[in-house]
Amino acid sequence: MNYRTVVMYMEIGCFVVCVSGWILVCSTMPTEIWTWSEVESIVLTSSNYFSNLWKDCVSDSTGVSDCKGIPSMFGLNWDIHMCRALIIISIILGFFGAILVLVGMKCTKIGGSEVANARVTFAGGMNYLVSGLCSMIAFSYYGNKIRAEFQDPNFRAQKFEIGVAVYIGWGGSTLLVIGGLICSVFAGKEACQSSSKNKQMPVYKLPDADVAPPAKQTYRPVSTALTEGGESRESKTSRVSSETRRSGSSSKTLSSLNVYV
């Protein structure tokens, strides 16, 4: 199993983990039990109070519950608005993170080159990581506020305990942080290695304009074509000229002999 296959299976696992965490965080929004009234200090319990970020509810001993939405947004404390904003931002970032990771995964083959897919996957992993951190801050602050009010001896109002939605949010946020961190590490490592390889490519330097290019040497081809007798043209020409000189010298010798006679 090569490195690319390992990274591909790691991306699939991180994608499943992050989507599961994102679904858990989304499920806490409609859940009504963020806080639950404690009954330790009450002798006779006739009703239970519970609430979330959007409404307050009450249930009687017969099991019938009635909820009422928060009438005024400006009448809420700033911490409730902060938790609302952080969870909504977490859900939005998780949605876009799922799209980016799905496009950049090696098994989907939707994106372009390997470097482009690694960068897209890194961006999706960072979205998941920031999404998990936002939701973790919101649920942790809300849970810590309930704990502080419960343990405060001077707090005279109705005390509450941490509801099931906060625990679900902690679990979903943990999955988002772990999956986004692992996905970002693997994808970022591959993208950085590809970028460094591109930077180390050799650079070819152009010649200076002041240096004149070397003059071209022209070579005259030597004719080596053979005649019908099997000898070259030059050898045949030299042979004919030698024979001509010989015949000329012999004719001169005969003429001189005739004159002598």
Side-chain angles (χ1 to χ4, degrees):
M1 184 180 296
N2 55 8
Y3 180 76
R4 187 180 184 279
T5 306
V6 174
V7 173
M8 182 180 68
Y9 286 122
M10 188 65 66
E11 288 176 351
I12 295 173
C14 292
F15 178 75
V16 173
V17 169
C18 291
V19 170
S20 302
W22 181 73
I23 292 174
L24 290 176
V25 172
C26 292
S27 66
T28 60
M29 296 296 288
T31 305
E32 298 173 350
I33 308 176
W34 281 57
T35 58
W36 184 265
S37 60
E38 60 91 18
V39 294
E40 183 180 0
S41 60
I42 301 175
V43 178
L44 181 61
T45 304
S46 60
S47 60
N48 293 317
Y49 299 92
F50 52 95
S51 63
N52 60 5
L53 297 177
W54 311 99
K55 54 187 175 181
D56 297 324
C57 302
V58 59
S59 64
D60 55 13
S61 59
T62 60
V64 178
S65 61
D66 185 18
C67 296
K68 182 182 71 172
I70 298 174
S72 175
M73 293 184 61
F74 296 102
L76 292 174
N77 295 329
W78 64 270
D79 52 357
I80 301 296
H81 289 292
M82 182 193 70
C83 293
R84 286 179 176 182
L86 287 174
I87 293 175
I88 291 173
I89 291 173
S90 173
I91 293 173
I92 294 173
L93 290 177
F95 175 76
F96 286 107
I99 295 176
L100 291 174
V101 173
L102 188 63
V103 171
M105 289 172 64
K106 298 183 182 300
C107 60
T108 56
K109 298 180 180 180
I110 299 176
S113 61
E114 293 289 337
V115 180
N117 287 342
R119 291 175 180 174
V120 172
T121 307
F122 176 76
M126 290 302 297
N127 277 4
Y128 275 138
L129 181 60
V130 176
S131 172
L133 291 176
C134 289
S135 59
M136 181 67 74
I137 292 172
F139 291 115
S140 298
Y141 180 85
Y142 195 85
N144 183 66
K145 178 187 175 183
I146 298 172
R147 180 203 60 79
E149 291 177 354
F150 185 85
Q151 294 180 351
D152 187 6
N154 298 322
F155 188 76
R156 300 301 179 183
Q158 176 68 49
K159 294 184 178 182
F160 292 90
E161 296 181 359
I162 299 175
V164 64
V166 179
Y167 292 105
I168 294 175
W170 277 332
S173 302
T174 304
L175 293 179
L176 282 172
V177 170
I178 294 175
L181 182 61
I182 296 175
C183 187
S184 300
V185 168
F186 277 88
K189 182 180 179 181
E190 185 176 358
C192 292
Q193 287 179 355
S194 302
S195 301
S196 62
K197 288 181 181 179
N198 293 333
K199 291 181 180 179
Q200 293 176 0
M201 292 180 64
V203 179
Y204 297 97
K205 185 178 180 181
L206 296 176
D208 297 335
D210 298 336
V211 179
K216 295 183 179 180
Q217 298 180 359
T218 57
Y219 298 94
R220 186 174 297 174
V222 180
S223 177
T224 57
L226 299 179
T227 59
E228 295 180 357
E231 55 185 357
S232 63
R233 293 178 182 178
E234 292 185 355
S235 61
K236 184 178 180 181
T237 304
S238 61
R239 184 175 58 80
V240 170
S241 61
S242 62
E243 289 179 356
T244 304
R245 288 194 298 268
R246 289 176 184 176
S247 61
S249 61
S250 60
S251 61
K252 289 180 182 179
T253 305
L254 291 175
S255 61
S256 62
L257 288 175
N258 292 332
V259 172
Y260 179 76
V261 173

